[in-house]
């Protein structure tokens, strides 16, 4: 099946091109703490920002282990701390001390999806506990959901985000392929008084079948259907793969809008680091990066 050609960035106004180039030049690369992660990380640009997910299979210790290894490689590492994976107060104290010992100064706090949560039942309770214990982190991010959450009502998501706002420094958006849904959600959040800067979540280069499976699992089936209908969203690097080029191009007016306050690009690499870094390099060349 043939896909329509991308419009490209050439027709974007200069302010939108500049804003897009700024995001693409310094993204956050997300890694999953699997056995091959350190080998894949060799392809990362020097001194970049890398987030490390929390894996229910491997535990938060593996997340911190990989984050600490990335620090020694010269990267700025951000571990994901999942509330459902923290057993109790003593476990939290141990994790925070480990973060102090290896010099981690940033974290991303999520609720998680463990079937047997411990003492902390959601991201807000863990966030509060981290601050009560004397946080070692100078920056903490929290998740946000432009297309909603499969298990949490929109009004509850907004209420919880309001409570998290004084305890966090930014919100990273759930993976989405629908630029209209993202832009309208940012507008609603700003109108509702949510002022946290946005870190825009987008997949890197990945196989479409894998993305569709993940989309269904995390509750963004509407976004997956949008991707199928809007074939111009498919990246041009690899046949049958998604690249975020067209998504970012369509979001360029929002990215350039100061009221949206989009500060960073959070790239879900699925550990396909080399392909994602190659995409970054090619898009910067297209945008005219020095």
């Amino acid at each position: 099946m043939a896909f329509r050609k991308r419009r490209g960035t050439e027709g974007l106004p200069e302010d939108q091109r500049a804003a897009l180039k700024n995001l693409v030049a310094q993204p956050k690369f997300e890694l999953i703490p699997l056995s091959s992660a350190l080998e894949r990380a060799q392809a990362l640009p020097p001194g970049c920002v890398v987030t490390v997910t929390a894996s229910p299979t491997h535990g938060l210790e593996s997340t911190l282990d990989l984050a600490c290894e990335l620090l020694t490689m010269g990267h700025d590492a951000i571990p994901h701390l999942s509330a459902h994976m923290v057993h109790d107060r003593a476990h939290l104290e141990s994790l925070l001390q480990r973060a102090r010992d290896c010099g981690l100064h940033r974290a991303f706090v999520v609720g998680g999806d463990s079937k047997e949560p411990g003492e902390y039942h959601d991201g807000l309770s863990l966030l509060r506990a981290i601050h009560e214990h004397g946080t070692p982190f100078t920056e903490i991010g929290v998740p946000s959901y432009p297309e909603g959450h499969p298990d949490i009502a929109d009004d509850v998501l907004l209420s919880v985000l309001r409570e998290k706002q004084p305890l966090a420094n930014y919100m990273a958006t759930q993976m989405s392929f629908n630029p209209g849904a993202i832009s309208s959600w940012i507008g609603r959040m700003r109108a509702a008084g949510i002022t946290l800067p946005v870190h825009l979540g987008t997949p890197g280069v990945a196989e479409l079948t894998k993305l569709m499976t993940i989309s269904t699992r995390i509750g963004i089936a509407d976004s997956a259907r949008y991707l199928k209908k809007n074939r111009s969203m498919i990246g041009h690097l690899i046949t049958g793969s998604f690249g975020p080029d067209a998504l970012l191009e369509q979001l360029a007016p929002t990215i350039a809008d100061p009221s949206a306050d989009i500060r960073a690009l959070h790239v879900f690499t699925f550990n396909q680091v080399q392909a994602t870094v190659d995409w970054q390099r090619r898009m910067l060349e297209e945008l005219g990066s020095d």
Side-chain angles (χ1 to χ4, degrees):
M1 183 181 295
F3 296 115
R4 287 183 297 169
K5 190 179 189 308
R6 290 172 48 238
R7 181 185 64 178
T9 61
E10 295 83 357
L12 295 176
E14 187 54 39
D15 65 324
Q16 294 181 21
R17 287 172 60 85
L20 191 53
K21 182 163 61 175
N22 185 54
L23 279 193
V24 175
Q26 296 182 312
K28 297 188 302 177
F29 296 93
E30 182 181 283
L31 293 182
I32 303 167
L34 303 176
S35 58
S36 62
L38 272 179
E39 180 182 352
R40 300 291 181 92
Q42 299 299 321
L44 289 167
C48 65
V49 180
V50 191
T51 75
V52 183
T53 64
S55 166
T57 303
H58 298 89
L60 288 176
E61 285 71 19
S62 68
T63 294
L64 290 177
D65 286 347
L66 179 54
C68 291
E69 290 280 0
L70 290 164
L71 278 182
T72 66
M73 293 170 64
H75 301 300
D76 188 356
I78 305 175
H80 290 211
L81 299 180
S82 169
H84 288 186
M85 294 170 62
V86 180
H87 310 314
D88 51 31
R89 181 184 180 91
H91 188 206
L92 176 59
E93 290 176 348
S94 173
L95 294 169
L96 295 179
Q97 189 58 50
R98 178 72 197 285
R100 289 188 187 93
D101 291 344
C102 76
L104 293 167
H105 63 95
R106 304 166 74 180
F108 189 69
V109 176
V110 301
D113 55 6
S114 175
K115 294 181 179 179
E116 297 181 2
E119 184 174 329
Y120 307 102
H121 292 273
D122 55 30
L124 179 58
S125 63
L126 179 59
L127 194 57
R128 286 171 172 162
I130 289 172
H131 282 279
E132 289 167 2
H133 281 263
T135 177
F137 307 119
T138 57
E139 181 183 85
I140 297 179
V142 295
S144 54
Y145 304 92
E147 295 189 62
H149 190 285
D151 301 315
I152 306 173
D154 288 348
D155 59 337
V156 176
L157 288 174
L158 177 56
S159 176
V160 171
L161 193 53
R162 281 201 181 102
E163 292 189 75
K164 289 180 178 180
Q165 185 161 253
L167 304 172
N169 303 96
Y170 68 90
M171 54 185 178
T173 63
Q174 161 200 56
M175 185 176 73
S176 175
F177 311 118
N178 188 334
I182 297 168
S183 295
S184 61
W185 174 83
I186 291 175
R188 292 196 304 275
M189 291 302 100
R190 297 311 182 216
I194 301 299
T195 60
L196 288 170
V198 173
H199 289 196
L200 187 63
T202 179
V205 176
E207 294 180 3
L208 284 176
T209 52
K210 183 172 186 177
L211 283 181
M212 293 301 177
T213 301
I214 292 170
S215 300
T216 301
R217 180 170 59 81
I218 67 175
I220 57 169
D222 286 346
S223 193
R225 284 192 289 271
Y226 178 92
L227 181 60
K228 283 182 178 178
K229 286 192 213 177
N230 294 270
R231 296 174 187 164
S232 62
M233 298 296 291
I234 307 302
H236 66 297
L237 301 184
I238 306 171
T239 301
S241 292
F242 174 86
D245 314 57
L247 173 66
L248 294 175
E249 289 157 17
Q250 293 185 39
L251 279 169
T254 302
I255 292 170
D257 182 355
S259 67
D261 198 12
I262 297 175
R263 303 269 186 96
L265 193 63
H266 182 117
V267 183
F268 301 91
T269 71
F270 311 107
N271 286 13
Q272 303 302 302
V273 178
Q274 186 64 65
T276 299
V277 171
D278 288 345
W279 160 79
Q280 179 201 25
R281 184 181 303 113
R282 295 182 198 191
M283 188 156 192
L284 286 174
E285 289 174 356
E286 181 179 311
L287 287 164
S289 177
D290 294 332

